[in-house]
Each structure stands twice: as structure tokens, then as C-alpha cells.
Amino acid sequence: MEVSAVRIDDERLPRHIAIVMDGNGRWAKKRFLPRTAGHRAGVTSVRKVIEHCLKRRIEALTLFAFSSENWRRPPQEVSLLMELFLATLERETEKLHENGVRLRVIGDRVAFSPALQEKIAAGERLTSENTHLNLTIAANYGGRWDILQATRALAEKVARGELCPEDIGPDAFKLQLTLADLPEPDLFIRTGGEQRISNFLLWQLAYTELYFTPALWPDFDDQSLDQALKDYASRQRRFGYTSEQVEDLVSENVCTKTSEFR
Ligand code: IPE
Ligand code: IPE
Ligand code: MG
């Protein structure tokens, strides 16, 4: 049986998947190609994973494309990544729209060229009413930046007298974060073999199931994603409850999806 034909009960699928797409450079190096060839090849994996999420009716997919620390890379590599981002948006936005994908970009976009900022805004506008898949691209994104911008927004509200410090709890805080309207990621995937978060969604990953694979991002496809989904489906999420409590919640039908316990 083909792995892509794997059956996973809908209620055991994650609602939100977050991916650190790592290993492009090593993929290229193995082939004696420049690192930039790995980034180009990585775009194909992005397309495949989006298509597979649509097929599996996943609600949200968040992809880490460029971290706030990636500016430290050689200038030619950074330029190529920016060009690739712009060219991919130009080529793919219409197709995303036709497929009902809602596109959003999170991160500090002030650092991007005006042309890229415009493309991002146009893509977000065009797809804003779509409901099939919430696709978020994290670019010039850092989890610490996200927490800081939320803190600043709350501090400004307090300074304006619109909010009391006592009213700042987890819910009020979450509302200021970039992914406020989405369920927190259920499944975190990192390709490339490293086992770290690298400043991705720090607040939002508190109870996310972590999955690390040695597969390099350009080699990651629908079958690799199904492997991750299968692994996720086999886990019991507890959110601090005991295993027995979770089993009771499931049998009482209090929660229909494993992601709904919290
Ligand atoms: C991930 O691949 C892409 C970005 C960070 C933009 P890398 O470029 O980090 O690939 P490796 O880790 O060097 O193999
Ligand atoms: C994380 O990968 C960022 C992205 C995939 C965009 P890195 O390759 O930059 O992470 P580190 O530097 O190995 O932690
Ligand atoms: Mg890397």
C-alpha cells in the first residue's frame, strides 16, 4: 500500500501544522550545487505540502521561510531568498486563490523591499475571504519579536487608559500575537535533522506535538507529511490531565478532536 493512501481518522488529524523548512543548504551541498539551488528546490516542497494539506482538509499551515536571524547569512544568499519569495508570490498567488487558500505573512515586513511589501499586501487582500486553508508564511519572523510586539501593544493600551494591567491574562495576551485568530499549532515539524525551535512560534508552541525528521526540506513530500500525520495520530495529548482523564473526555465525547482538550 502506498503511504499516501494511508488512512488517518479525521478527528486524529491536526487542525494546525507549523513547519520549520530546514536543510535546503545541505541538500544542495550533497549535489555540489550552490546553496541557492537548495532554496529553489525547496519551493517545490512548499507547493506539494500546501496541496496535500488542502487534500487532507487541514485548517492551517504555518511555514517558517526566513527567520529574523537569517539576515546574518551572506548577502547574496539573503538577496536570492528575497527574490525567490517575490517571484513565488507573483507566480503562485492566483493559484492559491483559486484553491481557496487564505494567505498571510507574519514577521516584521518593514525590512522588505517596497515591491515585496506590495506583493504581500496584494496577496493577503486577494485571498482574505478564502476559507479552505489558512496559509501563513513566517518571514523576518522571530518568536521573541512576536512576544515583544504583543507586549508593546498591551503597554500602549495601558498607557492610553484602555486596559488595566490586572486584565492582562493569557487570553488578552494571545489576542495581540500574530496568529491570534488561529488555533495554536497541534503539530510542529522540523526537517533537516536539527532538534530545535530556532525562535519560531515560542508562545504558540507551548503544547504542540513536536516531530523531527532527518529528511532535508527539498526531499519532503506528501508521503513524508503523511508519515508525520500518522505519528501525530498515534500520540495522546494530555494538556496536564492524566491519561485516564483524557480517555474519559474522549469516551464522553466532550472533545471530538484531540486538539480540543485545552
Ligand atoms: C532552510 O534551509 C531555509 C532557510 C533558513 C531560509 P537552510 O538554508 O537553513 O539549510 P541548511 O540548514 O543550511 O542545510
Ligand atoms: C530556521 O532554520 C529558520 C528557517 C527554516 C526559516 P535555520 O537554519 O536558520 O536555523 P538554525 O540557524 O540552524 O538554528
Ligand atoms: Mg538550516
Side-chain angles (χ1 to χ4, degrees):
M1 187 178 70
E2 256 187 67
V3 186
S4 59
V6 157
R7 274 199 59 81
I8 303 167
D9 290 343
D10 276 358
E11 65 270 20
R12 299 209 65 86
L13 282 174
R15 294 175 66 187
H16 184 175
I17 303 173
I19 308 184
V20 176
M21 311 184 287
D22 197 21
N24 294 349
R26 279 162 284 167
W27 182 93
K29 199 170 174 187
K30 264 178 36 185
R31 287 163 179 76
F32 305 101
L33 294 168
R35 294 179 55 83
T36 49
H39 297 315
R40 290 185 199 282
V43 177
T44 308
S45 294
V46 171
R47 202 178 296 121
K48 283 183 192 164
V49 164
I50 293 170
E51 280 167 12
H52 202 57
C53 283
L54 279 164
K55 204 171 122 199
R56 287 272 188 209
R57 296 176 193 277
I58 302 294
E59 271 176 60
L61 173 67
T62 301
L63 300 174
F64 204 7
F66 190 86
S67 77
S68 42
E69 288 73 33
N70 286 145
W71 296 106
R72 295 173 180 161
R73 294 192 175 198
Q76 315 88 282
E77 181 170 343
V78 171
S79 309
L80 181 282
L81 284 166
M82 293 299 149
E83 278 166 34
L84 207 53
F85 191 17
L86 182 63
T88 307
L89 281 174
E90 275 168 355
R91 209 179 45 237
E92 307 283 342
T93 303
E94 195 56 51
K95 207 172 97 201
L96 290 174
H97 184 49
E98 281 163 19
N99 282 294
V101 175
R102 177 173 180 190
L103 172 73
R104 269 183 291 185
V105 174
I106 55 168
D108 190 359
R109 54 179 87 173
V110 185
F112 298 148
S113 70
L116 183 52
Q117 291 188 42
E118 265 165 46
K119 264 282 157 251
I120 292 170
E124 288 179 331
R125 250 192 329 270
L126 176 72
T127 63
S128 64
E129 304 291 319
N130 293 341
T131 53
H132 285 184
L133 172 70
N134 278 290
L135 172 66
T136 305
I137 307 294
N140 193 18
Y141 177 87
R144 288 178 177 173
W145 167 83
D146 203 353
I147 290 170
L148 285 172
Q149 64 80 28
T151 308
R152 211 170 289 131
L154 288 171
E156 278 163 13
K157 280 181 194 279
V158 171
R160 285 198 301 267
E162 295 166 15
L163 184 71
C164 299
E166 313 79 85
D167 293 334
I168 302 176
D171 293 337
F173 194 81
K174 193 198 158 182
L175 276 180
Q176 302 301 324
L177 290 166
T178 49
L179 297 179
D181 60 322
L182 297 179
E184 283 166 10
D186 304 297
L187 172 62
F188 164 99
I189 298 173
R190 181 169 185 144
T191 61
E194 312 300 343
Q195 303 192 7
R196 53 178 173 252
I197 293 177
S198 298
N199 199 15
F200 197 21
L201 306 157
L202 297 179
W203 173 280
Q204 299 89 338
L205 292 177
Y207 265 105
T208 303
E209 294 296 322
L210 307 179
Y211 179 88
F212 298 97
T213 168
L216 303 172
W217 178 249
D219 293 326
F220 194 86
D221 59 11
D222 49 348
Q223 299 201 5
S224 327
L225 181 55
D226 269 345
Q227 291 284 6
L229 294 175
K230 229 180 115 187
D231 192 292
Y232 172 81
S234 73
R235 300 186 189 190
Q236 186 192 49
R237 303 183 72 189
R238 292 197 277 275
F239 300 99
Y241 295 108
T242 67
S243 191
E244 292 73 21
Q245 284 177 300
V246 170
E247 279 157 22
D248 288 348
L249 285 168
V250 172
S251 64
E252 287 161 16
N253 248 338
V254 176
C255 305
T256 52
K257 270 201 161 207
T258 47
S259 51
E260 284 170 1
F261 290 133
R262 63 192 76 174

